[in-house]
Amino acid sequence: MKKRTNICFLLFLFSSIGFSQNLTLNGIVTGEETVENIHVINRSQKKYTTTNEKGYFKIEALKNDTIVFTSVQYKPYTHIVTSKNILDKELNVALEINVNELPEAVIGFTLTGDLNKDILNSDAKRPINFYDVGIPGYTGKKMRKSERLLAEAGEFKPSMLLGVLAGGIPLNPILNGISGRTKELKKRVALEDNTIFMNALKNRLSEAFFKENELKKELRADFFYFCAEDKNFETRCAISDLEALKFMKEKYLVYKENLESKE
C-alpha cells in the first residue's frame, strides 16, 4: 500500500513538473485562404512567431498561457493552452475567414433627396423577417461562440442553493460555477473583447503612430498586444484617439527600453 502511494506521488510530481516547464508546441493553422505568415503570439510570455506556407509553427508555452492568432484575412483567435496541449505537445487551430461585406449598388433608380419618395419609387423589396410571419425573434447584437457558451453556462449565486433545495432552480449555473467553467468562459470573453478593441485601434491609428514612432513591422503586432495587457488600456484608449495616441506613446517608450535591455 505504501509502495503504491509513493508511485502515485511520483507520477503526480512528474506531471506537475511537466506542466510548470516551458515546452515547444508544434502547431498547424488551417483556413479557407493562405495560412502563411499568420502571427502567433504567446501573450503570457511575450514570445512571437509566424506560420510557414503550410500553416506550421512552433512556439514555447506553459499550461494556461494565452496564445493569439492574427492576420489580415482571418478573424483574431485566442486560445488558452490546455493540459492536453502540453501532454500532446500540439496546438492545432482552424481560423474563420474575415469577410468584409460591401453593400450592393443600386442601378437604374435616381434619388430625389426626399427619403419617403425614394423609398416608394424604389423597386427594391424588403426581405421577409420573423415579424412578417408572426414569429418572435432576436434583434440584438449577434453573440460570438464564447459569449453564447457563457450565456448557456448561467451565473452562479450562493442564494441559488436554496432554490435548488426547493426544486425551482436549474443545476447548470451551480455546477458550472463550482467547476470553474463559468470563470474560464468569462476570462475567454474578456480576452476576446480586449483583442477586438485592440485590433480596431490598430487598424485606425497604426499608420499615423508609426510615422512618428519607428518600429520594425514584424514587432508592431507584438507592440499592440503589449499595450493591450496594460490594465488601463481600454479605459484610456476609449476616451478619444488623441488620448489613445498619448497612451501608445507612453507604452512605446517602455517597449523600446525592454527591447534594448534584451539586446
Side-chain angles (χ1 to χ4, degrees):
M1 181 68 181
K2 184 178 180 181
K3 184 177 180 181
R4 183 179 178 184
T5 303
N6 290 337
I7 292 173
C8 291
F9 174 75
L10 288 172
L11 289 172
F12 172 77
L13 181 63
F14 289 144
S15 64
S16 299
I17 293 173
F19 288 150
S20 62
Q21 291 180 334
N22 261 10
L23 288 174
T24 299
L25 298 181
N26 296 297
I28 182 170
V29 173
T30 56
E32 294 180 20
E33 294 190 357
T34 177
V35 288
E36 186 177 9
N37 290 328
I38 291 172
H39 299 291
V40 183
I41 301 172
N42 185 333
R43 287 179 62 175
S44 304
Q45 299 194 38
K46 311 294 189 297
K47 295 184 184 294
Y48 167 85
T49 188
T50 56
T51 57
N52 66 13
E53 68 277 4
K54 294 184 178 179
Y56 291 105
F57 67 90
K58 291 184 178 182
I59 194 164
E60 291 185 9
L62 289 168
K63 181 185 175 184
N64 292 327
D65 277 0
T66 301
I67 311 292
V68 182
F69 300 80
T70 63
S71 68
V72 175
Q73 66 270 36
Y74 294 104
K75 293 180 180 179
Y77 179 79
T78 302
H79 177 83
I80 307 298
V81 177
T82 64
S83 302
K84 189 175 188 307
N85 294 144
I86 297 298
L87 289 172
D88 297 342
K89 296 182 181 180
E90 287 184 354
L91 173 53
N92 304 326
V93 301
L95 298 183
E96 186 179 349
I97 202 76
N98 189 15
V99 180
N100 293 318
E101 296 183 357
L102 297 176
E104 294 182 4
V106 178
I107 302 173
F109 173 58
T110 305
L111 296 174
T112 66
D114 186 324
L115 183 59
N116 292 325
K117 289 181 180 179
D118 290 338
I119 292 173
L120 291 173
N121 292 332
S122 173
D123 293 329
K125 294 181 179 179
R126 179 177 60 81
I128 295 175
N129 60 32
F130 45 79
Y131 289 123
D132 295 320
V133 291
I135 301 173
Y138 177 71
T139 59
K141 174 189 170 187
K142 185 177 180 182
M143 290 192 291
R144 302 190 301 273
K145 180 180 178 181
S146 56
E147 290 175 322
R148 291 198 305 272
L149 290 174
L150 178 58
E152 291 166 5
E155 182 70 25
F156 168 69
K157 297 178 181 178
S159 59
M160 286 182 172
L161 294 173
L162 295 175
V164 170
L165 295 174
I169 298 292
L171 286 172
N172 270 352
I174 296 173
L175 295 176
N176 289 321
I178 293 172
S179 68
R181 184 168 184 265
T182 301
K183 184 178 179 181
E184 286 300 314
L185 287 170
K186 283 184 177 180
K187 183 179 178 182
R188 187 191 301 180
V189 169
L191 281 170
E192 288 182 1
D193 288 341
N194 181 270
T195 301
I196 289 169
F197 183 86
M198 181 208 68
N199 278 316
L201 192 76
K202 180 174 67 174
N203 293 337
R204 194 167 67 250
L205 302 179
S206 183
E207 184 177 353
F209 181 78
F210 290 120
K211 277 184 179 179
E212 302 294 330
N213 304 278
E214 186 178 350
L215 191 65
K216 292 179 181 178
K217 286 187 177 181
E218 60 267 25
L219 294 175
R220 291 179 182 181
D222 183 59
F223 167 71
F224 274 99
Y225 280 110
F226 176 72
C227 291
E229 287 172 355
D230 191 293
K231 64 180 181 180
N232 297 315
F233 170 64
E234 292 189 44
T235 304
R236 290 275 304 276
C237 294
I239 295 172
S240 67
D241 283 355
L242 185 63
E243 182 64 21
L245 288 168
K246 182 180 177 182
F247 172 82
M248 288 162 61
K249 181 66 177 182
E250 294 169 9
K251 300 301 293 183
Y252 171 80
L253 296 174
V254 178
Y255 187 81
K256 291 286 284 186
E257 286 180 7
N258 291 345
L259 285 178
E260 289 169 4
S261 65
K262 289 179 181 179
E263 292 174 357

Short mmCIF file of all heavy atoms in Angstrom, two decimals, residues 196-243:
data_model
loop_
_atom_site.label_atom_id
_atom_site.label_comp_id
_atom_site.label_asym_id
_atom_site.label_seq_id
_atom_site.Cartn_x
_atom_site.Cartn_y
_atom_site.Cartn_z
N ILE A 196 -10.47 42.40 -29.80
CA ILE A 196 -11.28 43.11 -30.80
C ILE A 196 -11.06 44.61 -30.68
O ILE A 196 -10.88 45.32 -31.68
CB ILE A 196 -12.78 42.76 -30.62
CG1 ILE A 196 -13.02 41.31 -31.05
CG2 ILE A 196 -13.66 43.70 -31.45
CD1 ILE A 196 -14.38 40.77 -30.67
N PHE A 197 -11.06 45.13 -29.44
CA PHE A 197 -10.83 46.55 -29.21
C PHE A 197 -9.43 46.95 -29.70
O PHE A 197 -9.25 48.00 -30.34
CB PHE A 197 -10.98 46.86 -27.72
CG PHE A 197 -10.83 48.31 -27.36
CD1 PHE A 197 -11.93 49.17 -27.43
CD2 PHE A 197 -9.61 48.83 -26.97
CE1 PHE A 197 -11.81 50.51 -27.11
CE2 PHE A 197 -9.47 50.18 -26.65
CZ PHE A 197 -10.58 51.01 -26.72
N MET A 198 -8.44 46.09 -29.40
CA MET A 198 -7.07 46.37 -29.79
C MET A 198 -6.91 46.41 -31.31
O MET A 198 -6.26 47.29 -31.87
CB MET A 198 -6.13 45.31 -29.21
CG MET A 198 -4.66 45.52 -29.54
SD MET A 198 -3.76 43.97 -29.58
CE MET A 198 -4.49 43.19 -31.02
N ASN A 199 -7.53 45.45 -32.01
CA ASN A 199 -7.42 45.40 -33.47
C ASN A 199 -8.08 46.61 -34.13
O ASN A 199 -7.60 47.12 -35.14
CB ASN A 199 -8.03 44.11 -34.00
CG ASN A 199 -7.07 42.94 -33.90
OD1 ASN A 199 -5.91 43.07 -34.23
ND2 ASN A 199 -7.55 41.82 -33.43
N ALA A 200 -9.20 47.06 -33.56
CA ALA A 200 -9.86 48.25 -34.09
C ALA A 200 -8.96 49.48 -33.93
O ALA A 200 -8.84 50.30 -34.85
CB ALA A 200 -11.19 48.48 -33.37
N LEU A 201 -8.29 49.57 -32.79
CA LEU A 201 -7.37 50.67 -32.54
C LEU A 201 -6.17 50.59 -33.48
O LEU A 201 -5.74 51.61 -34.05
CB LEU A 201 -6.90 50.63 -31.08
CG LEU A 201 -6.16 51.85 -30.57
CD1 LEU A 201 -7.14 52.99 -30.30
CD2 LEU A 201 -5.40 51.52 -29.29
N LYS A 202 -5.66 49.38 -33.67
CA LYS A 202 -4.51 49.18 -34.55
C LYS A 202 -4.84 49.58 -35.99
O LYS A 202 -4.06 50.27 -36.64
CB LYS A 202 -4.07 47.72 -34.51
CG LYS A 202 -2.88 47.39 -35.40
CD LYS A 202 -2.41 45.97 -35.18
CE LYS A 202 -3.42 44.96 -35.65
NZ LYS A 202 -2.92 43.57 -35.58
N ASN A 203 -5.99 49.16 -36.47
CA ASN A 203 -6.39 49.49 -37.85
C ASN A 203 -6.59 50.99 -38.04
O ASN A 203 -6.33 51.53 -39.11
CB ASN A 203 -7.69 48.75 -38.20
CG ASN A 203 -7.50 47.25 -38.27
OD1 ASN A 203 -6.38 46.78 -38.48
ND2 ASN A 203 -8.57 46.50 -38.07
N ARG A 204 -7.03 51.66 -36.99
CA ARG A 204 -7.37 53.08 -37.08
C ARG A 204 -6.15 54.00 -36.91
O ARG A 204 -6.04 55.02 -37.59
CB ARG A 204 -8.43 53.41 -36.03
CG ARG A 204 -9.11 54.73 -36.22
CD ARG A 204 -10.34 54.87 -35.35
NE ARG A 204 -10.05 54.91 -33.93
CZ ARG A 204 -10.35 53.94 -33.06
NH1 ARG A 204 -10.95 52.84 -33.48
NH2 ARG A 204 -10.05 54.05 -31.78
N LEU A 205 -5.22 53.62 -36.02
CA LEU A 205 -4.16 54.54 -35.63
C LEU A 205 -2.74 54.08 -35.96
O LEU A 205 -1.79 54.85 -35.81
CB LEU A 205 -4.24 54.83 -34.12
CG LEU A 205 -5.55 55.42 -33.60
CD1 LEU A 205 -5.47 55.61 -32.10
CD2 LEU A 205 -5.84 56.75 -34.27
N SER A 206 -2.60 52.84 -36.42
CA SER A 206 -1.27 52.27 -36.64
C SER A 206 -0.42 53.11 -37.59
O SER A 206 0.73 53.45 -37.31
CB SER A 206 -1.40 50.85 -37.17
OG SER A 206 -0.13 50.26 -37.33
N GLU A 207 -0.98 53.44 -38.74
CA GLU A 207 -0.21 54.17 -39.76
C GLU A 207 0.28 55.52 -39.24
O GLU A 207 1.45 55.87 -39.40
CB GLU A 207 -1.08 54.38 -41.02
CG GLU A 207 -0.33 55.04 -42.16
CD GLU A 207 -1.18 55.18 -43.42
OE1 GLU A 207 -2.32 54.63 -43.44
OE2 GLU A 207 -0.72 55.81 -44.37
N ALA A 208 -0.60 56.26 -38.61
CA ALA A 208 -0.23 57.59 -38.10
C ALA A 208 0.80 57.47 -36.97
O ALA A 208 1.75 58.26 -36.91
CB ALA A 208 -1.47 58.31 -37.59
N PHE A 209 0.63 56.49 -36.09
CA PHE A 209 1.52 56.36 -34.94
C PHE A 209 2.94 56.01 -35.36
O PHE A 209 3.91 56.60 -34.88
CB PHE A 209 0.98 55.31 -33.97
CG PHE A 209 1.82 55.14 -32.75
CD1 PHE A 209 1.74 56.06 -31.70
CD2 PHE A 209 2.70 54.07 -32.62
CE1 PHE A 209 2.53 55.92 -30.57
CE2 PHE A 209 3.49 53.93 -31.49
CZ PHE A 209 3.40 54.85 -30.46
N PHE A 210 3.09 55.03 -36.28
CA PHE A 210 4.42 54.57 -36.64
C PHE A 210 5.14 55.49 -37.62
O PHE A 210 6.32 55.29 -37.90
CB PHE A 210 4.35 53.14 -37.19
CG PHE A 210 4.01 52.13 -36.13
CD1 PHE A 210 2.87 51.34 -36.24
CD2 PHE A 210 4.80 51.97 -35.01
CE1 PHE A 210 2.54 50.42 -35.26
CE2 PHE A 210 4.48 51.06 -34.02
CZ PHE A 210 3.35 50.29 -34.14
N LYS A 211 4.45 56.49 -38.13
CA LYS A 211 5.13 57.53 -38.90
C LYS A 211 6.02 58.36 -37.98
O LYS A 211 7.08 58.85 -38.38
CB LYS A 211 4.11 58.43 -39.59
CG LYS A 211 3.58 57.88 -40.90
CD LYS A 211 2.64 58.87 -41.57
CE LYS A 211 2.13 58.31 -42.91
NZ LYS A 211 1.20 59.27 -43.57
N GLU A 212 5.55 58.53 -36.74
CA GLU A 212 6.28 59.34 -35.76
C GLU A 212 7.13 58.50 -34.81
O GLU A 212 8.05 59.01 -34.19
CB GLU A 212 5.28 60.17 -34.94
CG GLU A 212 4.39 61.09 -35.77
CD GLU A 212 5.19 62.19 -36.45
OE1 GLU A 212 6.23 62.60 -35.88
OE2 GLU A 212 4.78 62.63 -37.54
N ASN A 213 6.81 57.23 -34.70
CA ASN A 213 7.50 56.35 -33.75
C ASN A 213 7.97 55.10 -34.47
O ASN A 213 7.20 54.17 -34.71
CB ASN A 213 6.55 55.98 -32.60
CG ASN A 213 5.99 57.21 -31.91
OD1 ASN A 213 6.62 57.80 -31.06
ND2 ASN A 213 4.78 57.59 -32.30
N GLU A 214 9.23 55.07 -34.80
CA GLU A 214 9.79 54.00 -35.64
C GLU A 214 9.82 52.66 -34.91
O GLU A 214 10.22 52.58 -33.75
CB GLU A 214 11.21 54.38 -36.08
CG GLU A 214 11.82 53.40 -37.08
CD GLU A 214 13.22 53.82 -37.52
OE1 GLU A 214 13.63 54.96 -37.20
OE2 GLU A 214 13.87 53.01 -38.18
N LEU A 215 9.36 51.63 -35.61
CA LEU A 215 9.39 50.27 -35.08
C LEU A 215 9.31 49.29 -36.24
O LEU A 215 8.54 49.51 -37.18
CB LEU A 215 8.21 50.03 -34.12
CG LEU A 215 8.25 48.75 -33.28
CD1 LEU A 215 9.42 48.77 -32.30
CD2 LEU A 215 6.95 48.56 -32.52
N LYS A 216 10.10 48.22 -36.18
CA LYS A 216 10.10 47.22 -37.26
C LYS A 216 8.70 46.64 -37.45
O LYS A 216 7.97 46.42 -36.48
CB LYS A 216 11.08 46.10 -36.93
CG LYS A 216 12.54 46.53 -36.94
CD LYS A 216 13.44 45.35 -36.58
CE LYS A 216 14.90 45.77 -36.57
NZ LYS A 216 15.79 44.64 -36.17
N LYS A 217 8.33 46.36 -38.68
CA LYS A 217 6.99 45.87 -38.99
C LYS A 217 6.67 44.57 -38.26
O LYS A 217 5.54 44.35 -37.83
CB LYS A 217 6.82 45.69 -40.49
CG LYS A 217 6.68 47.00 -41.25
CD LYS A 217 6.35 46.77 -42.71
CE LYS A 217 6.14 48.10 -43.43
NZ LYS A 217 5.79 47.90 -44.86
N GLU A 218 7.67 43.70 -38.15
CA GLU A 218 7.42 42.39 -37.52
C GLU A 218 7.19 42.50 -36.02
O GLU A 218 6.75 41.54 -35.37
CB GLU A 218 8.57 41.42 -37.80
CG GLU A 218 9.93 41.87 -37.28
CD GLU A 218 10.75 42.63 -38.33
OE1 GLU A 218 10.14 43.22 -39.25
OE2 GLU A 218 11.97 42.62 -38.20
N LEU A 219 7.49 43.68 -35.44
CA LEU A 219 7.28 43.87 -34.00
C LEU A 219 6.01 44.65 -33.67
O LEU A 219 5.63 44.76 -32.51
CB LEU A 219 8.48 44.62 -33.40
CG LEU A 219 9.83 43.89 -33.39
CD1 LEU A 219 10.92 44.81 -32.88
CD2 LEU A 219 9.76 42.62 -32.55
N ARG A 220 5.34 45.18 -34.70
CA ARG A 220 4.22 46.09 -34.44
C ARG A 220 3.02 45.37 -33.82
O ARG A 220 2.36 45.92 -32.93
CB ARG A 220 3.82 46.79 -35.74
CG ARG A 220 4.89 47.77 -36.20
CD ARG A 220 4.54 48.47 -37.49
NE ARG A 220 5.63 49.37 -37.90
CZ ARG A 220 5.60 50.13 -38.97
NH1 ARG A 220 4.54 50.13 -39.77
NH2 ARG A 220 6.63 50.91 -39.27
N ALA A 221 2.73 44.16 -34.28
CA ALA A 221 1.62 43.40 -33.68
C ALA A 221 1.91 43.10 -32.22
O ALA A 221 1.04 43.24 -31.35
CB ALA A 221 1.39 42.11 -34.45
N ASP A 222 3.16 42.73 -31.94
CA ASP A 222 3.55 42.44 -30.56
C ASP A 222 3.45 43.70 -29.70
O ASP A 222 3.04 43.63 -28.53
CB ASP A 222 4.99 41.92 -30.54
CG ASP A 222 5.44 41.54 -29.14
OD1 ASP A 222 4.79 40.67 -28.52
OD2 ASP A 222 6.42 42.11 -28.64
N PHE A 223 3.78 44.86 -30.26
CA PHE A 223 3.66 46.13 -29.53
C PHE A 223 2.22 46.40 -29.10
O PHE A 223 1.96 46.81 -27.97
CB PHE A 223 4.18 47.30 -30.38
CG PHE A 223 3.82 48.64 -29.83
CD1 PHE A 223 4.43 49.12 -28.67
CD2 PHE A 223 2.85 49.43 -30.43
CE1 PHE A 223 4.09 50.36 -28.14
CE2 PHE A 223 2.51 50.67 -29.92
CZ PHE A 223 3.13 51.14 -28.76
N PHE A 224 1.27 46.15 -30.01
CA PHE A 224 -0.12 46.41 -29.67
C PHE A 224 -0.61 45.45 -28.59
O PHE A 224 -1.41 45.83 -27.73
CB PHE A 224 -1.00 46.33 -30.92
CG PHE A 224 -1.07 47.63 -31.67
CD1 PHE A 224 -0.28 47.85 -32.78
CD2 PHE A 224 -1.91 48.65 -31.25
CE1 PHE A 224 -0.32 49.06 -33.46
CE2 PHE A 224 -1.97 49.86 -31.92
CZ PHE A 224 -1.16 50.07 -33.03
N TYR A 225 -0.13 44.20 -28.62
CA TYR A 225 -0.50 43.27 -27.54
C TYR A 225 0.13 43.71 -26.22
O TYR A 225 -0.47 43.55 -25.16
CB TYR A 225 -0.07 41.85 -27.89
CG TYR A 225 -1.03 41.18 -28.84
CD1 TYR A 225 -0.67 40.91 -30.16
CD2 TYR A 225 -2.31 40.83 -28.43
CE1 TYR A 225 -1.56 40.32 -31.03
CE2 TYR A 225 -3.21 40.24 -29.29
CZ TYR A 225 -2.82 39.99 -30.59
OH TYR A 225 -3.71 39.40 -31.45
N PHE A 226 1.32 44.29 -26.30
CA PHE A 226 1.98 44.84 -25.11
C PHE A 226 1.12 45.96 -24.52
O PHE A 226 0.94 46.05 -23.30
CB PHE A 226 3.36 45.37 -25.51
CG PHE A 226 4.11 46.03 -24.39
CD1 PHE A 226 4.64 45.30 -23.34
CD2 PHE A 226 4.29 47.41 -24.38
CE1 PHE A 226 5.32 45.92 -22.30
CE2 PHE A 226 4.97 48.04 -23.35
CZ PHE A 226 5.49 47.29 -22.31
N CYS A 227 0.57 46.80 -25.39
CA CYS A 227 -0.33 47.87 -24.93
C CYS A 227 -1.60 47.29 -24.31
O CYS A 227 -2.07 47.75 -23.26
CB CYS A 227 -0.72 48.77 -26.11
SG CYS A 227 0.63 49.78 -26.76
N ALA A 228 -2.15 46.27 -24.97
CA ALA A 228 -3.43 45.70 -24.55
C ALA A 228 -3.36 45.02 -23.19
O ALA A 228 -4.38 44.86 -22.52
CB ALA A 228 -3.93 44.71 -25.60
N GLU A 229 -2.15 44.61 -22.77
CA GLU A 229 -2.01 43.94 -21.49
C GLU A 229 -2.07 44.90 -20.30
O GLU A 229 -2.26 44.48 -19.17
CB GLU A 229 -0.69 43.16 -21.46
CG GLU A 229 -0.73 41.92 -22.33
CD GLU A 229 0.63 41.27 -22.46
OE1 GLU A 229 1.61 41.85 -21.96
OE2 GLU A 229 0.71 40.20 -23.07
N ASP A 230 -1.91 46.20 -20.58
CA ASP A 230 -2.00 47.19 -19.51
C ASP A 230 -3.43 47.27 -18.99
O ASP A 230 -4.39 47.31 -19.76
CB ASP A 230 -1.56 48.56 -20.06
CG ASP A 230 -1.37 49.58 -18.95
OD1 ASP A 230 -2.38 49.96 -18.32
OD2 ASP A 230 -0.22 49.99 -18.73
N LYS A 231 -3.60 47.30 -17.68
CA LYS A 231 -4.94 47.30 -17.09
C LYS A 231 -5.74 48.56 -17.44
O LYS A 231 -6.97 48.57 -17.38
CB LYS A 231 -4.85 47.15 -15.57
CG LYS A 231 -4.15 48.30 -14.87
CD LYS A 231 -4.10 48.07 -13.36
CE LYS A 231 -3.42 49.24 -12.66
NZ LYS A 231 -3.37 49.03 -11.19
N ASN A 232 -5.03 49.63 -17.83
CA ASN A 232 -5.71 50.88 -18.19
C ASN A 232 -5.91 51.03 -19.69
O ASN A 232 -6.35 52.10 -20.15
CB ASN A 232 -4.89 52.08 -17.67
CG ASN A 232 -4.78 52.07 -16.15
OD1 ASN A 232 -5.76 51.85 -15.46
ND2 ASN A 232 -3.58 52.30 -15.64
N PHE A 233 -5.58 50.00 -20.46
CA PHE A 233 -5.60 50.10 -21.92
C PHE A 233 -6.96 50.54 -22.46
O PHE A 233 -7.07 51.56 -23.14
CB PHE A 233 -5.21 48.74 -22.52
CG PHE A 233 -5.43 48.63 -24.00
CD1 PHE A 233 -4.73 49.43 -24.89
CD2 PHE A 233 -6.36 47.73 -24.51
CE1 PHE A 233 -4.93 49.34 -26.26
CE2 PHE A 233 -6.58 47.63 -25.88
CZ PHE A 233 -5.85 48.43 -26.75
N GLU A 234 -8.00 49.79 -22.17
CA GLU A 234 -9.32 50.11 -22.72
C GLU A 234 -9.87 51.40 -22.14
O GLU A 234 -10.49 52.20 -22.86
CB GLU A 234 -10.28 48.95 -22.49
CG GLU A 234 -9.94 47.71 -23.30
CD GLU A 234 -11.01 46.64 -23.23
OE1 GLU A 234 -12.19 46.99 -23.33
OE2 GLU A 234 -10.65 45.45 -23.05
N THR A 235 -9.65 51.63 -20.85
CA THR A 235 -10.17 52.85 -20.22
C THR A 235 -9.56 54.10 -20.85
O THR A 235 -10.27 55.05 -21.19
CB THR A 235 -9.85 52.83 -18.71
OG1 THR A 235 -10.38 51.64 -18.13
CG2 THR A 235 -10.46 54.04 -18.02
N ARG A 236 -8.24 54.09 -21.03
CA ARG A 236 -7.55 55.25 -21.60
C ARG A 236 -7.88 55.43 -23.08
O ARG A 236 -8.18 56.53 -23.54
CB ARG A 236 -6.04 55.09 -21.43
CG ARG A 236 -5.51 55.21 -20.01
CD ARG A 236 -5.26 56.65 -19.60
NE ARG A 236 -4.35 57.37 -20.47
CZ ARG A 236 -3.02 57.33 -20.38
NH1 ARG A 236 -2.44 56.59 -19.44
NH2 ARG A 236 -2.27 58.05 -21.20
N CYS A 237 -7.81 54.34 -23.83
CA CYS A 237 -7.94 54.44 -25.29
C CYS A 237 -9.38 54.65 -25.75
O CYS A 237 -9.61 55.04 -26.90
CB CYS A 237 -7.36 53.19 -25.95
SG CYS A 237 -5.58 53.04 -25.72
N ALA A 238 -10.34 54.39 -24.88
CA ALA A 238 -11.75 54.59 -25.25
C ALA A 238 -12.17 56.06 -25.13
O ALA A 238 -13.20 56.45 -25.66
CB ALA A 238 -12.65 53.72 -24.39
N ILE A 239 -11.36 56.86 -24.46
CA ILE A 239 -11.71 58.28 -24.25
C ILE A 239 -11.73 59.02 -25.58
O ILE A 239 -12.71 59.68 -25.93
CB ILE A 239 -10.72 58.94 -23.27
CG1 ILE A 239 -10.84 58.31 -21.88
CG2 ILE A 239 -10.96 60.45 -23.21
CD1 ILE A 239 -9.80 58.75 -20.90
N SER A 240 -10.63 58.91 -26.33
CA SER A 240 -10.52 59.57 -27.63
C SER A 240 -9.28 59.04 -28.34
O SER A 240 -8.39 58.45 -27.69
CB SER A 240 -10.42 61.09 -27.48
OG SER A 240 -9.19 61.44 -26.85
N ASP A 241 -9.19 59.26 -29.65
CA ASP A 241 -8.00 58.83 -30.39
C ASP A 241 -6.76 59.58 -29.93
O ASP A 241 -5.65 59.04 -29.92
CB ASP A 241 -8.21 59.03 -31.89
CG ASP A 241 -9.09 57.94 -32.49
OD1 ASP A 241 -9.44 57.00 -31.76
OD2 ASP A 241 -9.42 58.03 -33.69
N LEU A 242 -6.95 60.84 -29.55
CA LEU A 242 -5.82 61.64 -29.07
C LEU A 242 -5.26 61.06 -27.77
O LEU A 242 -4.04 60.93 -27.60
CB LEU A 242 -6.28 63.09 -28.83
CG LEU A 242 -5.17 64.09 -28.44
CD1 LEU A 242 -4.15 64.21 -29.56
CD2 LEU A 242 -5.78 65.46 -28.14
N GLU A 243 -6.15 60.67 -26.87
CA GLU A 243 -5.73 60.04 -25.61
C GLU A 243 -5.09 58.68 -25.88
O GLU A 243 -4.13 58.28 -25.23
CB GLU A 243 -6.92 59.89 -24.68
CG GLU A 243 -6.57 59.29 -23.31
CD GLU A 243 -5.65 60.15 -22.48
OE1 GLU A 243 -5.57 61.37 -22.72
OE2 GLU A 243 -4.98 59.59 -21.58
#
